[in-house]
Structures are given as C-alpha cells and as structure tokens.
Amino acid sequence: MTTTELDGGTERGPLPPRALIVTLLGLYVREFGGWISVSALIRLMAAAGVDDQAVRSSLSRLKRRGIVEAERRDGVAGYALSEYARHVLEVGDRRIFARPEPQSRDWVVVVFSVPESERQKRHALRARLAWLGFGTVSSGVWIAPGHLADDAREVLVANGLDLYVDLFRAEYVAFGDPADKVAQWWDLDALGQLYTDFLDAHEPARASWAAQPEVEPGPQAFADYIRALTAWRRLPYLDPGLPTDLLPASWSGTRAAETFFELHRLLAEPAHDFVTAQTGAARPG
C-alpha cells in the first residue's frame, strides 16, 4: 500500500473526490467514533460538490487500497478507517497542523542498502523517505532536517524497513554552499510552484471569509475548509521544513502557510459544527 491516498498526492489540478473523502475521514470520523454511514458521507460530499456516483466509486477504491473497511452498524451501511490509515493520519496531524519555527542546521541522514533479491523493499524505502520529505544525496543516502528524525524512525519501524537502514545525526561541514546543496537535494522549484498554486486557489476564499464579521456554520464554510485542507495536506509531506535562510528569496511557502492557517482559524469550527449537524454526532466528553 502507498501513502499517496492519505497524504493528498502530489499531482496538480483539481482535487480528486477520494482525497476530499480522506480529509473528511481524518478530520471528523476519528473523533466521531471511527465510523460514518454511507448516507451521511454522501450528504457531506454533496456540500463539497461531489456527486453520489463519485463518492461510491472513491469508497470502492479506498477499500481496495486498505484505507477504509466496510462495516454495518445497527443495520446501516458505512465505512471505518483501517488501523493502517489511522496510524498514517496520526503521523500526518503533526505535519499538517504544525507551524514549524525556523530550524537549526542539524540534519538526519539515512544510509541504506537493500539486497537485489528484495528490490521491492528498496522501492518501498525510497517511497517512504520521499513521503517524509527527505531529499536525495545519492541513491542510498537521503537527508532531511534534524526535526524529522523521530518521524523517520517511527515510519521505518512501522513499515518493517528499519533492518535496512542506519540513521545518523549530522552537521554540514564542507565543501560547498549549503543553499546550493539543498537546491540539489530537493526540487524546490516544483515545491514552490505547488505553494503558488495553493495561493492562487485559496487566497480569494481567505480574503472573503476574513472580511466577514462572523462565520456561520454552513455548506460553504465546510466546502472551503475541506478543499483548502485537502490541497494543503500534501504540502507538508513534500516540504521538509528547511531553514529559512537556505530557501530561495522568492519562496512562496511562507505566504501559503499564512493563508492556510488563517483559513483554519476562520473555518475549522464552523465546518465542524456543520458536520456535527449533518451526522448527528457530538463532540466527545
């Protein structure tokens, strides 16, 4: 299983319905007892502009990928998140909703060697490291800012890949400009363009909601929030959180983060209240 369905993917363009569904499941279903009926999911997705057929098709795909499990409760058809999906989403929470401070220049380095007879493990290892935000120094040497060490350890152990890996804490000493090296290890131009795309798509909504004296629960608040979060949640996985002074002068990531967290501040509560009203769920405790 890959994590692409859970992190929002890296493709540009319209958000696929399944990505919106995963966002909804991760945001609310974990809180509301881990299960949601098909009918409630269809109502909520309709508010986000996704039709019935697209919802059912997306659920089938997510079930095949092992992300959701069909489950009936009191005779009602519904879906629950798999244990694997719960774990990945919990790791993702720390990336998606955190606002990292400028980091010191310490690094975590992954050195790995996988026998040719287990090449599938090599592919899985590279996929997990890329998902965590690591950059590539060489084929068997990957690097990330030091604050990703704990996430790397947790994900590699959970996926049974730790047997092939050594993790090191490191400091860059010589022989080059660290900013130039960073530009070689990560594709910052592509990541910067994704941030610019996010701003183009969601800054107008931020400006519109910020101009209102109060945001009431309703389908538009829910739709704008879930779409912004779905678009945003792919970016912290791709962005390792590099020190600011190593980033290009034209870096759009800072403005994109400001836009997302302002939308989160404005819309998270009204969207939650709308979902609660649509599902009959209540906050725990």
Side-chain angles (χ1 to χ4, degrees):
M1 182 191 304
T2 68
T3 56
T4 302
E5 303 283 6
L6 293 169
D7 65 20
T10 60
E11 71 274 10
R12 296 174 62 182
L15 298 169
R18 64 185 181 278
L20 293 166
I21 290 172
V22 169
T23 298
L24 185 146
L25 295 173
L27 264 180
Y28 307 113
V29 173
R30 284 183 294 166
E31 176 186 340
F32 296 159
W35 178 90
I36 188 170
S37 69
V38 174
S39 59
L41 190 54
I42 287 172
R43 285 198 304 275
L44 289 168
M45 286 295 97
V50 180
D51 64 36
D52 182 325
Q53 183 177 356
V55 171
R56 294 182 186 277
S57 175
S58 297
L59 286 170
S60 295
R61 176 169 178 168
L62 293 173
K63 182 182 176 182
R64 289 195 303 271
R65 296 291 181 91
I67 292 169
V68 298
E69 299 167 348
E71 182 180 329
R72 298 184 75 88
R73 293 193 180 181
D74 298 325
V76 177
Y79 284 87
L81 282 166
S82 68
E83 283 301 315
Y84 174 81
R86 286 172 181 264
H87 171 73
V88 174
L89 289 166
E90 286 166 6
V91 173
D93 286 346
R94 300 197 293 267
R95 301 288 288 272
I96 294 166
F97 295 107
R99 299 195 70 173
E101 298 296 325
Q103 303 294 331
S104 60
R105 292 195 188 193
D106 68 310
W107 305 94
V108 57
V109 176
V110 168
V111 179
F112 65 87
S113 178
V114 181
E116 182 62 25
S117 60
E118 298 183 80
R119 64 174 69 92
Q120 190 59 35
K121 291 286 188 181
R122 186 187 305 127
H123 173 74
L125 182 51
R126 289 171 175 164
R128 294 301 186 274
L129 291 173
W131 174 71
L132 285 163
F134 275 70
T136 309
V137 179
S138 63
S139 61
V141 181
W142 291 50
I143 191 168
H147 65 272
L148 293 183
D150 289 343
D151 282 356
R153 185 184 296 109
E154 181 179 343
V155 169
L156 292 173
V157 169
N159 287 274
L161 298 170
D162 51 305
L163 297 177
Y164 307 94
V165 171
D166 289 300
L167 288 182
F168 298 90
R169 289 279 188 182
E171 177 185 357
Y172 187 77
V173 178
F175 295 93
D177 183 337
D180 292 339
K181 294 295 183 179
V182 161
Q184 296 171 21
W185 299 335
W186 284 274
D187 189 347
L188 296 180
D189 289 340
L191 181 56
Q193 185 59 55
L194 289 173
Y195 277 129
T196 298
D197 292 346
F198 179 89
L199 282 166
D200 291 345
H202 300 285
E203 172 59 22
R206 184 213 62 80
S208 177
W209 288 111
Q212 298 190 22
E214 184 176 0
V215 179
E216 296 291 338
Q220 193 61 54
F222 166 75
D224 283 352
Y225 182 55
I226 199 171
R227 288 186 175 279
L229 179 52
T230 301
W232 176 257
R233 65 184 173 86
R234 73 184 71 179
L235 296 172
Y237 288 104
L238 300 172
D239 187 338
L242 294 164
T244 305
D245 61 330
L246 298 183
L247 294 169
S250 60
W251 188 244
S252 55
T254 302
R255 283 186 56 227
E258 291 170 353
T259 291
F260 170 71
F261 284 105
E262 179 68 358
L263 279 168
H264 176 65
R265 184 187 69 80
L266 291 165
L267 300 182
E269 190 75 18
H272 185 286
D273 291 346
F274 175 76
V275 172
T276 299
Q278 292 295 305
T279 62
R283 284 185 183 276

